[in-house]
Amino acid sequence: MPLIKEGLKAVRTLSREGIKTNVTVTFSPLQALLAAKCGATYISPFVGRLDAVGHFGMEVVRQIKTIYGNYGYKTEIIVAAVRHPTHVLEAALAGADICTMSIDVLQQLYEHPLTDVAVEMFLKDWAKVPK
């Protein structure tokens, strides 16, 4: 559901019926507070889009996490619109539950130039071992 008045009404109704909901296009901690109060299962702050317009998307995630912790809300945080590995790191440090990302960002999580150099060195050393 998008974070609009009608969407929040639907979240409230669906959550009372035990149906899980994800409130998307979230751009502020106050929007996330409203979603949690309505019973949202998940909240999706769009950090990359916030960064693109000069805001600090991950700060919004930290604020949401603090608010949810203060009041015991069970709504899980899905960090959305992840643009680079630093978003993933900051989301994990902030205590977010989930990140959505492109395959390019996912690959960058395990690829590292120092790993490549070390593997190459190990293979060269192995080639020197007498057969």
Side-chain angles (χ1 to χ4, degrees):
M1 309 275 156
L3 207 150
I4 57 176
K5 188 187 296 185
E6 294 78 11
L8 291 177
K9 287 178 184 178
V11 166
R12 183 77 163 167
T13 299
L14 293 170
S15 68
R16 286 180 176 163
E17 295 178 18
I19 298 170
K20 293 181 177 187
T21 57
N22 178 16
V23 178
T24 64
V25 294
T26 304
F27 296 102
S28 80
L30 294 175
Q31 289 177 321
L33 174 61
L34 291 175
K37 289 182 83 60
C38 289
T41 312
Y42 306 100
I43 190 75
S44 295
F46 281 36
V47 297
R49 292 185 186 188
L50 281 164
D51 288 357
V53 297
H55 294 268
F56 296 103
M58 291 311 305
E59 182 58 25
V60 170
V61 173
R62 286 187 284 278
Q63 291 170 342
I64 293 168
K65 184 68 176 179
T66 298
I67 290 168
Y68 287 3
N70 287 348
Y71 297 100
Y73 290 119
K74 303 295 183 206
T75 304
E76 293 186 32
I77 301 170
I78 301 175
V79 176
V82 167
R83 302 289 192 245
H84 46 73
T86 304
H87 277 153
V88 179
L89 173 61
E90 289 187 26
L93 291 171
D97 300 285
I98 303 163
C99 283
T100 61
M101 69 194 79
S102 68
I103 189 70
D104 294 337
V105 173
L106 178 63
Q107 288 173 331
Q108 291 176 54
L109 298 182
Y110 63 82
E111 292 175 352
H112 192 283
L114 293 177
T115 301
D116 296 341
V117 169
V119 168
E120 187 176 323
M121 286 175 37
F122 292 158
L123 291 174
K124 285 180 182 177
D125 289 345
W126 177 249
K128 294 177 188 174
V129 173
K131 309 275 186 253

